[in-house]
Amino acid sequence: MEVLYDACWSMIKSKDVICDLSITHRHHRSFSLQTHASICSLQIELAIALMASEEQLKNSTAPEVFDAEAASCLIKELRGTFVSGKTKSYEWRSSQLKSLLKMLEDSDKQICDALFSDLSKPEMEAYIHEIAMIKNSCKSALKQLKDWMKPEKAKTNLGTFPSSAEIVPEPLGVVLVISAWNYPLLLSVDPVIGAIAAGNSVVLKPSELAPAMSSLLAKLLGKYLDNSAIKVVEGAVPETSALLEQKWDKIFYTGNGRVARIVMAAAAKNLTPVVLELGGKSPILVDSNIDLAVTGKRIVAGKWGLNNGQACVAPDYIITTKQYAPVLIESLKHNLVKFFGEDPMNSPDMSRVGHANHFARLKRQLDDDKVSGKIIHGGQADKSSQKIAPTIVLDAPEDSLIMNEEIFGPLLPIVTVEKIEDGIEFINSRPKPLAAYLFTNNKQLKEEFVSNVSAGGIVINDVGLHLMLDTLPFGGVGDSGMGSYHGKFSFDSFSHKKAVLYRGFLGDAPVRYPPYTPGKLRLLKALVDGSLLGIIRALFGFS
């Protein structure tokens, strides 16, 4: 404002000088009077402009800070909507899911552009792994929502006769979804679909590390969905911290274990249940009894075709026998060149590393003295473009960074063992992964792998494909997370299963009331044992 004043008064003063000088020239008096009039008019216009600017500044407000107070007000508003019962009806839930579907159909170009801006994600990947999967989730929820909402009949027993029972799914209330940057559409909207289908009010906190998608989600969800029940909060650590200080009815977090511990600690203060969708070091065990041509393609597509390895279910390392490793490595190299060319750093079909800190972390794994001499393919990295070439590392030491940290990128170590069964022991010696993969035609090995390997999910002879089935729960175990979602599992995750028992006033059994007698005890024992003969004997007073 001061700059505006200075500029205006400088103009006015300079015109005043001109005005005074012009008036002194008597022989140009007529011209001078005209000039004086025009300058006076300019002074009036400037004065009006200054007053308008002052009024505008007075009425304008500074950008709102989203702090704990703002978060509290937000929850209060959403809880008011929930308490009103608005979100519980089938009509509201289905209308919001239909609006989400319309949003995807109207905005697929904007979504692909945002994903390219944040991750250089190829359009094919963006559509298949994000847009199409969300569309399928919406369509599946709409198709089955009435069935999901129906109470489930439950059996009763002789102790409650006559009676009926059911399990009624009810929404939890106001829930928080905190999503990740690697699949910023899918990991934001898919949990929200479950929350809406279950009848909750929702706050979505997109990742600040995918700024284009975060901004687009705020814009699109604000336009297409009911803002009295569904809100988007953008921001970074301060905004997330403000949200975590509040009491929620559930928190759904997707990300890494370090932040998950912060989320869980914050939730514990209010006894808030959580779903933690994390990751871990997901292994692939490769037997020699396989179709190598198909296996090589599926591993390369499942590792580097999933956002260049930046997927929670992307393979973190391979285990195979020392004898089979050379032919498997050649197959991987062949398919890498076939899919991404001789210069993968410039391939349009490969995403870049998500952000600078993540690039630096991957580079540290790559530059580790224990690893740098073990690189047998790739290894190129360009900081300016945040790209790292597909890299294969053979027999990295177990105490190296790459074998202890989740990789979450285009680096793939191969661990060799003497016999394939040793691979199961190796997997089980480490924290439980989100996914575990086995390539084999050996039926006994398949059974042993499924029985003895604990993981969020297992796929035999493919990679990551279990995500396509909403009839399977998706979630981790142990260090790879807790809780699950997809399809009805999403609905259940955001619902409370309320137990309801119905009774009339007939059939009231005196045996349940004091005073307690030996006869009542005999009858009670017979009822508990389910012995019809015992019940008859007790009723007739026989011991």
Side-chain angles (χ1 to χ4, degrees):
M1 188 67 189
E2 289 178 1
V3 175
L4 182 60
Y5 267 116
D6 291 343
C8 289
W9 282 114
S10 295
M11 289 174 66
I12 291 169
K13 287 176 181 177
S14 65
K15 297 300 180 185
D16 279 344
V17 170
I18 294 170
C19 185
D20 289 339
L21 287 172
S22 64
I23 292 171
T24 60
H25 292 278
R26 302 290 181 180
H27 58 287
H28 294 300
R29 185 170 183 83
S30 174
F31 172 77
S32 299
L33 287 172
Q34 290 173 1
T35 306
H36 184 268
S38 64
I39 291 171
C40 289
S41 175
L42 174 63
Q43 291 173 349
I44 292 168
E45 289 175 10
L46 286 169
I48 292 169
L50 282 168
M51 287 188 289
S53 298
E54 280 186 322
E55 189 66 25
Q56 187 178 2
L57 284 172
K58 192 185 297 181
N59 294 332
S60 67
T61 55
E64 289 187 13
V65 176
F66 190 86
D67 53 14
E69 184 181 351
S72 177
C73 290
L74 177 65
I75 286 194
K76 186 176 180 181
E77 178 188 348
L78 292 178
R79 201 168 293 285
T81 301
F82 178 75
V83 169
S84 74
K86 180 181 186 179
T87 65
K88 295 181 181 181
S89 71
Y90 169 79
E91 289 73 22
W92 183 86
R93 303 184 202 195
S94 62
S95 70
Q96 297 308 296
L97 294 174
K98 287 174 183 175
S99 294
L100 260 179
L101 202 53
K102 186 175 189 319
M103 179 192 90
L104 294 166
E105 289 166 353
D106 292 348
S107 313
D108 59 351
K109 177 66 167 60
Q110 294 178 68
I111 290 168
C112 288
D113 288 347
L115 290 169
F116 187 82
S117 174
D118 287 331
L119 294 158
S120 294
K121 188 169 284 192
E123 186 176 357
M124 184 84 151
E125 273 192 54
Y127 188 81
I128 293 174
H129 298 156
E130 304 229 34
I131 297 172
M133 288 188 71
I134 293 296
K135 281 186 175 181
N136 288 339
S137 290
C138 273
K139 290 175 181 177
S140 175
L142 282 166
K143 185 178 180 180
Q144 302 177 77
L145 185 56
K146 283 185 177 178
D147 289 333
W148 293 351
M149 292 175 66
K150 287 178 182 175
E152 178 186 342
K153 291 295 180 183
K155 289 183 178 180
T156 59
N157 58 34
L158 199 57
T160 64
F161 180 84
S163 66
S164 64
E166 63 184 8
I167 302 165
V168 178
E170 66 175 4
L172 294 172
V174 183
V175 300
L176 172 63
V177 174
I178 305 174
S179 72
W181 55 265
N182 56 321
Y183 284 84
L185 176 73
L186 177 67
L187 299 179
S188 295
V189 179
D190 211 2
V192 169
I193 289 171
I196 291 171
N200 298 278
S201 292
V202 194
V203 172
L204 168 64
K205 168 59 184 66
S207 174
E208 70 277 11
L209 297 175
M213 182 53 70
S214 176
S215 176
L216 184 61
L217 282 170
K219 174 186 169 185
L220 293 179
L221 295 187
K223 176 181 176 183
Y224 285 86
L225 300 186
D226 179 357
N227 295 156
S228 71
I230 303 160
K231 300 280 190 181
V232 178
V233 174
E234 291 192 89
V237 174
E239 289 77 13
T240 306
S241 299
L243 289 169
L244 288 175
E245 288 180 27
Q246 311 309 311
K247 179 172 176 57
W248 303 89
D249 295 299
K250 192 154 200 174
I251 298 175
F252 190 110
Y253 168 75
T254 304
N256 61 60
R258 180 183 59 81
V259 177
R261 287 168 172 83
I262 296 170
V263 170
M264 197 168 182
K269 292 177 182 177
N270 291 307
L271 294 180
T272 299
V274 296
V275 172
L276 303 177
E277 294 292 339
L278 310 179
K281 296 183 75 64
S282 298
I284 302 181
L285 185 60
V286 182
D287 192 12
S288 57
N289 180 18
I290 56 169
D291 184 326
L292 181 60
V294 173
T295 298
K297 287 188 287 188
R298 289 180 179 177
I299 290 176
V300 170
K303 172 66 173 182
W304 292 282
L306 286 177
N307 198 24
N308 202 7
Q310 298 169 117
C312 55
V313 294
D316 194 274
Y317 62 96
I318 291 175
I319 306 172
T320 193
T321 60
K322 294 181 187 295
Q323 183 180 1
Y324 197 68
V327 292
L328 176 61
I329 289 166
E330 285 307 308
S331 176
L332 296 177
K333 288 180 178 179
H334 169 75
N335 283 293
L336 279 169
V337 173
K338 184 178 178 181
F339 290 177
F340 304 111
E342 296 286 352
D343 182 15
M345 297 283 279
N346 290 311
S347 171
D349 298 320
M350 184 167 287
S351 303
R352 64 171 171 80
V353 174
H355 53 90
N357 288 342
H358 188 43
F359 180 91
R361 191 183 68 80
L362 290 169
K363 195 71 169 62
R364 281 196 300 273
Q365 293 181 355
L366 204 55
D367 294 341
D368 184 352
D369 291 339
K370 297 173 182 177
V371 168
S372 55
K374 302 282 187 177
I375 297 171
I376 59 172
H377 184 82
Q380 301 90 347
D382 179 41
K383 186 177 180 180
S384 62
S385 64
Q386 286 182 198
K387 284 197 171 183
I388 297 177
T391 301
I392 302 173
V393 178
L394 181 62
D395 282 327
E398 285 193 43
D399 62 348
S400 60
L401 290 174
I402 204 170
M403 289 306 300
N404 284 277
E405 296 178 354
E406 181 181 6
I407 294 170
F408 211 70
L411 318 180
L412 183 63
I414 296 178
V415 177
T416 60
V417 292
E418 292 298 330
K419 58 184 189 295
I420 199 66
E421 291 77 14
D422 295 340
I424 295 177
E425 185 179 338
F426 185 90
I427 294 167
N428 288 337
S429 69
R430 292 166 167 263
K432 296 176 181 180
L434 183 60
Y437 306 106
L438 170 66
F439 284 85
T440 187
N441 275 318
N442 185 320
K443 183 181 178 183
Q444 185 178 344
L445 184 60
K446 290 178 189 177
E447 292 174 354
E448 185 181 353
F449 192 83
V450 171
S451 296
N452 297 328
V453 172
S454 181
I458 285 177
V459 180
I460 307 296
N461 293 330
D462 216 317
V463 176
L465 216 58
H466 57 308
L467 291 175
M468 304 296 290
L469 294 177
D470 66 7
T471 53
L472 290 176
F474 177 67
V477 58
D479 286 5
S480 59
M482 61 181 70
S484 61
Y485 71 125
H486 285 185
K488 184 161 188 297
F489 302 101
S490 294
F491 177 87
D492 291 342
S493 183
F494 288 102
S495 299
H496 166 61
K497 299 285 191 176
K498 183 165 59 181
V500 181
L501 177 68
Y502 297 95
R503 295 204 73 203
F505 294 100
L506 299 176
D508 202 37
V511 69
R512 64 183 288 194
Y513 303 116
Y516 304 124
T517 65
K520 288 182 178 180
L521 181 59
R522 285 194 300 272
L523 180 57
L524 182 63
K525 286 181 177 179
L527 286 168
V528 171
D529 291 341
S531 168
L532 182 60
L533 180 61
I535 293 170
I536 293 171
R537 289 173 63 86
L539 287 171
F540 284 96
F542 298 110
S543 58

